[in-house]
Amino acid sequence: MSSEFSNQYLRLRAQRLAESTREFLARGKSVVRCEHCQLAVFACICPWRPELEARCEFVLLMHRNEVFKPTNTGRLIAELLPQQTHVFCWSRTEPAQELLDLLGDPRRRCVIVFPSDANETGSKQRGLVTELPDDGKITTFVLLDGTWKQSGRMFHLSRWLEEIPCVVLPEALVRGYAVRKSHQEHYLSTAEAAGLCLEMAGEVRAASALQDYFELFNLHYLATRGAVAPVIGELHERMAAYKKS
């Protein structure tokens, strides 16, 4: 990672901005935003952002439209776990060689995080992982970051992902998690899915921090939309404690 950027999401965003031929105009384009967290300057969450570590790692495959969205939650993973999060823009036919090398690394156990029911038709061809053995390999969770429709296309159209099994997140974890409301109860935001992955991998502290950071992001995003200062409370105290410990 270049020392110019504190995480790989920021590096990818800078690349996409340099390549873009037109300006991306998000909702509330008149808002003066923090360059790092993309929230309004008055609702910036950067002061409460800890930098953590984990034994497992993440590969964040972002749909090109997600890179600029201030509502994107995949970047929260890169912010909290910058050394364990690899970020790439998804391509159906031309994935980055660095990405292919990472996915093919024999030192890693790569698994795709995707709802199991969306994978039923391909489950015979694709392995399903229900447990993570302690065999010395680096468990590497592959997250498809886009809308539900985009993620489905990314999953089904990426021939270069076909040899990678899908991880089945424990039902007890899914039921006990603060799942975003949806027409499918097991649908999670990218950050929520990563939190479950961390719990499955035994990274309880990192999982709790990411869940709290996701909640903090939502609180400050609503403040940004409402053009009001966020109320500082217990959640902020918990995030500050992660930074000290």
Side-chain angles (χ1 to χ4, degrees):
M1 187 191 315
S2 170
S3 59
E4 183 182 354
F5 305 105
S6 58
N7 64 66
Q8 289 196 19
Y9 162 74
L10 293 177
R11 183 186 69 177
L12 176 62
R13 185 173 185 273
Q15 290 174 348
R16 291 283 292 122
L17 283 171
E19 297 165 357
S20 186
T21 57
R22 61 174 180 169
E23 182 181 5
F24 177 81
L25 299 178
R27 292 180 181 177
K29 58 181 181 295
S30 61
V31 174
V32 179
R33 298 181 182 273
C34 167
E35 282 297 317
H36 192 114
C37 71
Q38 293 299 301
L39 297 173
V41 170
F42 65 80
C44 172
I45 60 175
C46 294
W48 291 279
R49 182 183 67 249
E51 184 173 317
L52 306 177
E53 292 184 355
R55 294 181 299 275
C56 60
E57 297 190 4
F58 293 94
V59 171
L60 191 62
L61 291 181
M62 303 189 76
H63 190 277
R64 66 180 185 275
N65 294 339
E66 282 293 315
V67 177
F68 300 127
K69 289 183 179 179
T71 54
N72 175 268
T73 68
R75 59 195 170 92
L76 303 181
I77 309 162
E79 291 176 2
L80 255 61
L81 297 165
Q83 301 305 317
Q84 285 78 43
T85 307
H86 311 269
V87 186
F88 299 91
C89 204
W90 174 78
S91 171
R92 180 177 66 86
T93 58
E94 297 180 343
Q97 187 59 49
E98 181 183 354
L99 169 60
L100 296 178
D101 292 343
L102 190 153
L103 296 176
D105 187 343
R107 298 170 299 177
R108 297 180 181 276
R109 178 190 304 102
C110 294
V111 292
I112 299 175
V113 183
F114 201 70
S116 58
D117 70 329
N119 183 38
E120 285 179 357
T121 58
S123 61
K124 292 182 179 179
Q125 292 76 32
R126 237 185 245 269
L128 296 179
V129 174
T130 58
E131 295 182 354
L132 302 175
D134 185 10
D135 57 3
K137 290 189 175 184
I138 304 170
T139 297
T140 305
F141 297 100
V142 181
L143 295 163
L144 307 177
D145 195 13
T147 65
W148 305 127
K149 183 177 181 180
Q150 288 167 349
S151 296
R153 292 186 71 253
M154 293 162 70
F155 179 80
H156 291 293
L157 296 180
S158 303
R159 300 293 298 272
W160 45 274
L161 285 176
E162 288 181 345
E163 299 301 317
I164 300 178
C166 288
V167 65
V168 179
L169 297 172
E171 194 63 31
L173 290 181
V174 176
R175 286 198 305 267
Y177 209 75
V179 178
R180 181 174 65 184
K181 291 182 180 180
S182 173
H183 64 286
Q184 294 288 343
E185 64 178 10
H186 58 263
Y187 279 2
L188 310 169
S189 72
T190 306
E192 286 175 312
L196 289 179
C197 292
L198 287 166
E199 286 197 46
M200 186 179 184
E203 299 285 351
V204 179
R205 180 174 178 272
S208 296
L210 182 55
Q211 183 175 2
D212 283 342
Y213 194 55
F214 174 68
E215 186 177 344
L216 185 78
F217 169 78
N218 285 329
L219 177 66
H220 283 238
Y221 179 74
L222 290 176
T224 294
R225 288 186 60 183
V228 296
V231 177
I232 308 301
E234 182 182 347
L235 179 59
H236 298 80
E237 293 177 4
R238 291 205 301 270
M239 294 309 306
Y242 288 118
K243 294 189 69 172
K244 294 178 182 178
S245 59

